[in-house]
Amino acid sequence: MDYISLGGTLFTPATYKDIQKLFTLKKYPTLKSLLIDLEDGCNDYNKGLENIKNLDFSKRKIPTFLRPKNPDSLKELIQFDIDGFILPKFGLNNSQQYLNILKNTKFYIMPSIEGEELFDFNKLLQLKEILKNQNVLTIRIGCEDMFRQLHMKKGKYSIFDRSVTNNIIGNIIAIFKSAGFNISGCVYPYFNDIEGFKKDIQKEFFEGLFSKTIIHPNQIEPLNELYKVTTEELNEAKEILSSKKSIFNQNETMAETKTQTPYAKTIIKRYEVYGLK
């Protein structure tokens, strides 16, 4: 599994009655991945825990993840046959607790950076070092928590439209993406504003973010469609990966094989998962 296959990760509280239909694709056949939440989005932890105990995760057809309430909650959840965990409020104060619990397991993790570390370059560098050699699928950003600490509301603006949040996200991209980590995009809360949702994805995509937590089924298809590749992109990627030349003319543009290989590989993978536009 890799981050490209995650696509739109549908958020659902652990108390939701039809979770089994979600990860077996009986409800939304084109869904790519699922997050079952026992943290902020779950108003009754015990009821949610009882609900997921009755699920047959062996029948899942898509990557399925749990979000525990905290490290103690994680201890209760490692019994389940799932793909991994989103680790909420992942920071310097609890990172070792989380990682010690998961030591010697095969679960994927998606740390969610939501606290004071967002605003401290040196603390972000420390988190990067902690996460090296861990089974990290993607880094998630707690955008709502970020805006809360700034006494702001996201609104329909992109996180890249405001100087303060642009700087914060820019630091995260520079620190983590340069070290080989993927960064996921933020939730777009206006689930009936599909055009705004598309613009949000396109902006994040342009800035190097991939995958996104989605909160409504009507966000599934627009995201899948935007993650498709064009025939031109696919052909150029294949040419780069098959070329024996270091530099060559590609459609009146210089193509440098070594530097563009990572990008070309992501295009191929997107084609395999999402297809052609």
Side-chain angles (χ1 to χ4, degrees):
M1 188 190 306
D2 61 37
Y3 69 88
I4 292 176
S5 64
L6 292 175
T9 303
L10 182 64
F11 170 97
T12 185
T15 51
Y16 180 61
K17 62 182 177 63
D18 283 336
I19 293 176
Q20 185 92 17
K21 292 181 180 179
L22 295 178
F23 62 67
T24 56
L25 297 182
K26 290 181 179 179
K27 200 169 180 73
Y28 307 116
T30 58
L31 180 64
K32 298 298 182 185
S33 57
L34 179 67
L35 158 63
I36 303 168
D37 185 46
L38 284 138
E39 199 219 4
D40 291 345
C42 181
N43 59 10
D44 190 328
Y45 179 86
N46 291 329
K47 184 179 178 181
L49 185 58
E50 286 304 310
N51 192 34
I52 62 175
K53 284 180 179 178
N54 293 319
L55 300 173
D56 184 358
F57 288 110
S58 68
K59 294 183 178 178
R60 69 190 185 281
K61 295 183 178 179
I62 53 173
T64 301
F65 305 89
L66 293 175
R67 181 163 73 168
K69 193 172 184 178
N70 50 43
D72 287 336
S73 166
L74 178 61
K75 293 176 185 177
E76 295 185 285
L77 303 180
I78 58 174
Q79 63 180 294
F80 295 110
D81 179 22
I82 57 167
D83 295 285
F85 299 93
I86 291 180
L87 305 180
K89 298 176 175 59
F90 188 88
L92 296 176
N93 66 324
N94 61 16
S95 58
Q96 289 305 325
Q97 287 178 276
Y98 276 129
L99 297 179
N100 286 339
I101 294 166
L102 293 166
K103 192 175 181 180
N104 299 321
T105 70
K106 296 182 179 180
F107 293 115
Y108 290 99
I109 62 171
M110 295 185 275
S112 182
I113 303 174
E114 308 172 17
E116 61 182 20
E117 291 85 359
L118 287 168
F119 313 102
D120 190 313
F121 192 87
N122 289 324
K123 289 181 179 179
L124 289 173
L125 287 173
Q126 291 179 61
L127 285 182
K128 179 194 73 173
E129 292 302 315
I130 289 170
L131 289 169
K132 278 185 176 179
N133 303 316
Q134 300 295 330
N135 202 17
V136 178
L137 196 52
T138 188
I139 302 291
R140 293 187 176 272
I141 305 166
C143 291
E144 293 300 321
D145 281 286
M146 175 177 67
F147 279 103
R148 173 183 58 79
Q149 291 169 88
L150 293 169
H151 301 273
M152 298 168 68
K153 184 179 179 180
K154 181 179 183 297
K156 294 187 178 182
Y157 298 100
S158 166
I159 52 174
F160 297 102
D161 289 338
R162 288 178 164 139
S163 59
V164 61
T165 53
N166 181 54
N167 288 335
I168 292 167
I169 304 302
N171 284 339
I172 293 171
I173 293 171
I175 291 170
F176 287 94
K177 192 151 182 149
S178 65
F181 296 99
N182 180 63
I183 315 293
S184 296
C186 296
V187 168
Y188 190 77
Y190 303 93
F191 50 82
N192 283 324
D193 178 18
I194 299 303
E195 289 307 310
F197 177 65
K198 290 179 180 179
K199 290 178 182 177
D200 201 53
I201 295 169
Q202 290 168 331
K203 185 72 172 179
E204 290 176 345
F205 203 19
F206 178 75
E207 298 288 351
L209 308 187
F210 194 93
S211 182
K212 193 175 185 71
T213 300
I214 56 177
I215 57 171
H216 195 279
N218 67 10
Q219 294 179 329
I220 297 172
E221 286 305 323
L223 186 142
N224 286 347
E225 188 64 30
L226 286 171
Y227 280 174
K228 291 179 179 180
V229 302
T230 65
T231 300
E232 182 180 5
E233 287 174 325
L234 180 62
N235 290 338
E236 288 181 351
K238 288 180 177 179
E239 188 177 16
I240 288 168
L241 294 176
S242 63
S243 177
K244 303 299 182 184
K245 300 178 181 178
S246 298
I247 298 175
F248 63 95
N249 180 345
Q250 186 176 67
N251 300 326
E252 306 301 320
T253 304
M254 183 187 77
E256 192 171 353
T257 306
K258 185 176 181 180
T259 60
Q260 293 179 14
T261 289
Y263 171 76
K265 287 181 177 178
T266 65
I267 294 294
I268 298 298
K269 181 63 178 179
R270 280 174 51 205
Y271 165 68
E272 290 171 351
V273 176
Y274 303 98
L276 284 174
K277 290 183 179 180

